[in-house]
Amino acid sequence: MPTLIARNLKSLEKALSSQRIKKKKIGLVPTMGAIHDGHLALVDKCLKLSQVTVVTIFINPMQFNNKKDLKNYPTSIRKDISILTEKKVNIIFIPKIKDIYPSDFSTFIELKKFDNMLCGKNRNGHFSGVATVVLKLFCLINPRVAFFGEKDFQQLFIIKKLVRDLNLNIDVQAVKTVRDKSGLALSSRNRLLSKGEKNIASKVNIILREISLKNLKSIKSILKKTSKKLYSEGVKKVEYLEVRNEKSLESYTYGKLGNNHYRVFVAVKVGKVRLIDNLRLTK
Ligand code: PAF
């Protein structure tokens, strides 16, 4: 099947209905474009685990609380189409804003938990915007399986919760963070970094790796030192640096390690670019 490009709801429905009749297992990779190897890891897993791979490219205005950030978000639609076609994905869905949010659109997902911490703290409404668009894509595409990266761990957590809470029949698959040689987590936003800023961004992961489980007892002072180190390497702002339980997103408190897995979560500003990353601290 050659790659079909659907640029509106009608052509998406046309492309999908024949697959639905054949009862094919549909897999979804939602993206905002500016495709990189991190996205391609999601695509590869989707191609492996489903019979029809749908990749969506939609820069969702609802998840940006800053107009400048939305305006500056990198795009490369032509290149994205060519990369995804080469990968032999089945359908690329590139909706217009009015396809997703018609002028009378008025229904939003409200999160009662997990959106007031980490990335949600300073990005008001971000996860409500993410959950709303992802649910809308789930409704339009009706996938059996959907793929999200661990780099956006809180997003992955919230989508898994959304699927559980609403009893959606969708298997949410997590895909490990893809990093460049220096360890920098791949992100569309990396394109906005100058060479010097990229060097600084590369240090973030290296510094996070120095946090060791053995030292978790004195986590506050370790995070303080880590934060200082990040600033001394040229990071402009450490928005958050926290250790949390990966199953509950609860903060780490000494003595509560048990069999749980903990991750360190970070958001930094390098120049004007906001970057996030996380690492599992427990084996
Ligand atoms: O991770 C992203 O690129 C976006 O948040 C997503 C999941 C495509 C929703 O807009």
Side-chain angles (χ1 to χ4, degrees):
M1 172 181 170
T3 303
L4 287 166
I5 298 163
R7 293 183 188 270
N8 54 48
L9 298 184
K10 214 173 151 190
S11 51
L12 173 72
E13 191 43 42
K14 197 171 161 211
L16 281 172
S17 57
S18 56
Q19 304 302 328
R20 286 201 190 107
I21 291 166
K22 292 182 207 150
K23 293 203 162 47
K24 298 268 184 176
K25 181 177 177 184
I26 296 170
L28 169 64
V29 180
T31 82
M32 298 206 294
I35 299 293
H36 52 70
D37 284 350
H39 294 117
L40 295 184
L42 307 180
V43 169
D44 283 338
K45 200 163 177 189
C46 187
L47 287 165
K48 217 168 167 185
L49 295 184
S50 49
Q51 291 165 304
V52 178
T53 291
V54 183
V55 179
T56 62
I57 299 176
F58 178 65
I59 300 178
N60 174 31
M62 218 58 87
Q63 69 189 73
F64 288 80
N65 60 338
N66 178 324
K67 277 191 185 149
K68 242 189 182 170
D69 190 25
L70 172 62
K71 199 170 157 249
N72 291 335
Y73 198 84
T75 55
S76 51
I77 285 288
R78 273 207 202 160
K79 200 169 164 213
D80 292 352
I81 292 175
S82 128
I83 295 171
L84 294 170
T85 306
E86 205 166 297
K87 272 274 165 196
K88 297 192 168 49
V89 313
N90 304 95
I91 300 170
I92 308 171
F93 178 43
I94 314 171
K96 307 222 170 21
I97 291 194
K98 66 176 189 313
D99 293 313
I100 303 295
Y101 303 117
S103 57
D104 62 344
F105 188 86
S106 61
T107 303
F108 296 89
I109 293 285
E110 186 188 346
L111 301 164
K112 291 282 185 198
K113 241 177 140 181
F114 306 115
D115 68 330
N116 57 356
M117 57 171 79
L118 302 173
C119 285
K121 217 169 171 183
N122 287 315
R123 301 187 77 193
N124 212 356
H126 169 68
F127 287 112
S128 165
V130 169
T132 303
V133 81
V134 169
L135 182 58
K136 179 112 186 180
L137 294 172
F138 284 169
C139 293
L140 288 169
I141 291 155
N142 199 11
R144 268 300 70 77
V145 55
F147 299 82
F148 294 86
E150 282 187 348
K151 187 185 76 73
D152 298 289
F153 197 89
Q154 190 178 7
Q155 167 174 284
L156 167 68
F157 184 97
I158 284 173
I159 300 301
K160 278 187 175 169
K161 189 77 175 46
L162 171 95
V163 164
R164 266 205 320 279
D165 286 352
L166 301 181
N167 298 91
L168 305 177
N169 184 18
I170 299 171
D171 171 18
V172 174
Q173 289 271 337
V175 178
K176 289 221 171 328
T177 303
V178 179
R179 300 177 182 279
D180 72 7
K181 270 191 214 146
S182 71
L184 173 65
L186 297 193
S187 160
S188 302
R189 289 178 194 271
N190 293 355
R191 294 187 191 191
L192 304 172
L193 297 167
S194 68
K195 211 173 162 199
E197 288 168 344
K198 208 164 178 192
N199 281 336
I200 297 170
S202 297
K203 302 266 168 57
V204 174
N205 174 265
I206 296 166
I207 292 170
L208 288 193
R209 283 189 192 283
E210 289 169 10
I211 300 175
S212 131
L213 179 62
K214 279 184 236 138
N215 298 329
L216 270 181
K217 190 171 173 184
S218 51
I219 196 67
K220 259 195 183 159
S221 68
I222 286 163
L223 293 181
K224 215 169 162 186
K225 266 190 209 152
T226 307
S227 180
K228 257 190 182 169
K229 238 184 217 171
L230 288 167
Y231 279 113
S232 72
E233 288 294 349
V235 162
K236 203 164 168 210
K237 189 168 182 214
V238 179
E239 210 173 85
Y240 61 75
L241 178 65
E242 296 181 34
V243 175
R244 288 183 179 262
N245 182 321
E246 65 178 34
K247 280 262 158 61
S248 64
L249 290 189
E250 272 169 31
S251 289
Y252 171 76
T253 41
Y254 177 61
K256 288 222 168 151
L257 206 55
N259 293 325
N260 300 309
H261 284 300
Y262 281 85
R263 277 179 190 258
V264 58
F265 294 88
V266 72
V268 292
K269 273 238 167 121
V270 177
K272 286 186 177 150
V273 186
R274 185 180 180 278
L275 300 172
I276 59 171
D277 201 354
N278 67 84
L279 283 182
R280 191 188 249 192
L281 296 176
T282 42
K283 290 240 169 81

